[in-house]
Amino acid sequence: MGSDAGHETQSIPLFLHGLDSSIEGTKAQWFRRHFPGVRLQNYTGDLDERLAQLEAQVAGLERLVLVGSSFGGLMAACFALRSPERCRRLVLLAPALNFVDFHPPAAPIAVPTLVVTGAHDTVCPPALILPLARASFADLEVRLVDDDHMLHRTFPTLDWPQLLT
């Protein structure tokens, strides 16, 4: 096997931060320290503008592992619904699927998706987002954890080496 063949199977992990966050936020800094291969970029504007920025960032790339926090989880879900063939996995951390502009597809897509949501999340309550996640993703794992919207207790304990591959 040449180096090109090995590259084809390599996943490309990206972290998509929340609405009022950036790559200077807690989770992005954690990835920078522990998994420097995770791609980070600041996103600005409304959902459509942020999705256009993500599209430009991943132009020509496939086998994407999108890790999205809150509004970044909404971005990851929207991207996957538009381009499921480009996504290897989604890790949605307290995803803002309760955002008014999010609508599940006619049929759930088969991208492997992990939703981690806090039982005490008042921003993206599990009762609102989990039905939307179930309607959107056929290959869905849900972890309802004893945490709040920020998932600060849970986030560092996830099996990131496995999730990012």
Side-chain angles (χ1 to χ4, degrees), residues 79-99:
F79 179 90
L81 294 179
R82 293 179 185 178
S83 303
E85 72 287 350
R86 296 177 63 195
C87 299
R88 184 173 184 322
R89 175 181 293 120
L90 301 179
V91 181
L92 307 180
L93 307 168
L97 301 182
N98 54 329
F99 187 69

Side-chain angles (χ1 to χ4, degrees), residues 68-71 73-74 92-98 115-117 124 129 149:
S69 179
S70 191
F71 203 80
L74 171 65
L92 307 180
L93 307 168
L97 301 182
N98 54 329
V115 171
V116 181
T117 185
C124 300
I129 68 160
H149 183 67

Side-chain angles (χ1 to χ4, degrees), residues 11 24 32 43 46 57 107 113 119 134 139 151 162 165:
S11 294
E24 300 308 318
R32 189 173 282 129
Y43 303 98
D46 65 19
Q57 181 186 10
T113 302
R134 289 184 181 106
D139 186 356
L151 296 172
Q162 188 274 328
T165 59

Side-chain angles (χ1 to χ4, degrees), residues 16 92 104-105 107 115 118 120 140 155:
L16 313 179
L92 307 180
V115 171
H120 313 290
L140 177 67
F155 173 79

Side-chain angles (χ1 to χ4, degrees), residues 4 27 46 87 95 106 122 141 165:
D4 288 343
K27 292 177 185 79
D46 65 19
C87 299
T122 58
E141 177 185 350
T165 59

Side-chain angles (χ1 to χ4, degrees), residues 117-138:
T117 185
H120 313 290
D121 189 337
T122 58
V123 178
C124 300
L128 295 180
I129 68 160
L130 292 180
L132 295 166
R134 289 184 181 106
S136 300
F137 305 106

Side-chain angles (χ1 to χ4, degrees), residues 12-30:
I12 300 171
L14 294 92
F15 175 69
L16 313 179
H17 63 76
L19 186 62
D20 294 325
S21 190
S22 71
I23 60 171
E24 300 308 318
T26 304
K27 292 177 185 79
Q29 289 295 324
W30 189 88

